[in-house]
Amino acid sequence: MSKGANPSEEEDATLAAEYVLGVLELKEHAACTLRVQRDPKFAERVADWEMRMADLNSGFAQVPAPDAVKTALDRRMFPTPEKNQQVSIWDRLGFWRFVSGAAIAAFAVLAFVIVQTPRTFPPGDTLVASLAGVGGKQKFIAIYETGAGIVRVSLLSDSAPADRDFELWLIKGENAPVSLGVFGGGDGPPRSLHQALKTEFTDGVTLAVSLEPKGGSTTGSPTGPVIAAGTAKKI
Amino acid sequence: MLTPDDISKLLASIALHDRTAFDTLYQHTSAKLFGVVLRLLKDRAEAEDALQDIYVKVWQRADQYAVSRASAMSWLIAIARNHAIDRLRTRRAIYEELDEAKFIADDTPDPEALAQASGERTRIEICMQRLEDRLANAVRGAYLDGYSYQELANQHAVPLNTMRTWLRRSLMKLRKCLEE
């Protein structure tokens, strides 16, 4: 291909620069915003110009935003306010309910189970992990009651393909993943952890879900792609 | 002060919908992004609204940062600038009528900028200096104040096409200079 001979390439290069500079009118600017989402080559041109111009960003002063903005933002994004330890688990799940419409339904069931049965468990903490794929396609929620030593996992998206299963893994630091059970879709069966695993399942551990042959990995380690991951948090 | 690496890590956690990471990111970056939208929109109430929209976008798009090559802070600023420019163009701002009193903190340089000014000049400043003054001012006016071709043409009392040619030429010069 001859060098610099393609006029549409040159036009694109100019358009990307004009877009980043911010001089385009409404329609053109909006069209470019859409194109960045859909056209990787154009997105790359835009990213190049953003890098070139980035030093001009020091021309923007820092101006503390009023506290009311964050309060309004929280109300808008996370409808249930975060309160202190006294509130019910249902209230503390406010954030997780935000995850998706499907999550609300799934949580209604899960939270009901948790709230209805606390007396049968020895006292302990509840750890929750929201597991999401990079593309956000597959979503899972895992809940672990430390007192009872029971972990439950719930699928908030499509079931596994007919010939496959999901397998939930616990990964602590640099340790090898440990299987927490296999499930195909919907809610996985509650699983009691061995004593040794209980000490491993703590605040901040990583949970991951891989796609495995029916019945789960035969090697004791994930063999299929990891389709979702997240961190367990005490609630 | 968070390092660029810290901000990248926060964005990775936010992609997994980690609210604590989101709160930390807001705490450390909102003053800069508010400065950006305030400078561009020149209206406090609208800037506050815009800031909310921008952080909703950050929450939704954090997973796209991983594939972006820009530094985390310039990625955030790009989201803020694009959103503010969308709003500016939508309301077809008539900047001449703006009350100067509304220009809150418009030309107060960032502490980082002062630090840079006292030390090494950034590459882009050196390259901007090679442009004619009026062209460098037009580039700054577009980038920092969100002026469109038409608005810049009016300010410099030149036809729209002249301004377009000036700026396109300036951008190509800048690019060449930055790549030297």
Side-chain angles (χ1 to χ4, degrees), chain A residues 89-187:
Chain A
I89 282 174
W90 176 238
D91 277 347
R92 279 185 276 149
L93 285 170
F95 156 63
W96 302 101
R97 274 160 41 207
F98 176 77
V99 173
S100 74
I104 295 175
F107 264 117
V109 177
L110 281 169
F112 182 76
V113 170
I114 295 167
V115 171
Q116 289 303 300
T117 51
R119 282 180 204 87
T120 65
F121 294 156
D125 293 324
T126 304
L127 299 173
V128 172
S130 165
L131 284 63
V134 175
K137 208 173 153 224
Q138 293 288 5
K139 288 194 173 104
F140 304 82
I141 298 285
I143 296 185
Y144 175 54
E145 297 282 338
T146 61
I150 288 175
V151 63
R152 291 182 179 82
V153 62
S154 193
L155 178 67
L156 305 178
S157 45
D158 296 341
S159 296
D163 57 339
R164 300 290 203 93
D165 270 332
F166 295 126
E167 189 153 5
L168 179 68
W169 304 88
L170 180 148
I171 304 156
K172 186 155 194 182
E174 303 291 308
N175 297 350
V178 180
S179 176
L180 294 181
V182 176
F183 59 105
D187 296 342

Side-chain angles (χ1 to χ4, degrees), chain B residues 147-161:
Chain B
Y147 297 139
S148 67
Y149 273 141
Q150 186 63 61
E151 288 164 328
L152 291 165
N154 295 348
Q155 282 176 29
H156 288 78
V158 295
L160 175 62
N161 277 336

Side-chain angles (χ1 to χ4, degrees), chain B residues 54-119:
Chain B
I54 287 159
Y55 277 95
V56 171
K57 284 186 181 171
V58 169
W59 175 263
Q60 291 165 343
R61 295 189 194 164
D63 59 340
Q64 294 169 23
Y65 171 68
V67 294
S68 163
R69 288 172 304 128
S71 91
M73 197 63 213
S74 46
W75 185 78
L76 291 171
I77 291 174
I79 291 179
R81 282 187 70 247
N82 281 326
H83 184 73
I85 289 166
D86 277 341
R87 277 176 176 254
L88 266 183
R89 298 289 178 270
T90 305
R91 77 157 125 106
R92 300 207 64 85
I94 308 166
Y95 58 90
E96 293 95 338
E97 288 179 11
L98 274 175
D99 178 3
E100 283 295 318
K102 279 187 177 172
F103 283 61
I104 315 139
D106 53 353
D107 284 327
T108 320
D110 191 313
E112 287 166 44
L114 290 175
Q116 275 168 356
S118 64

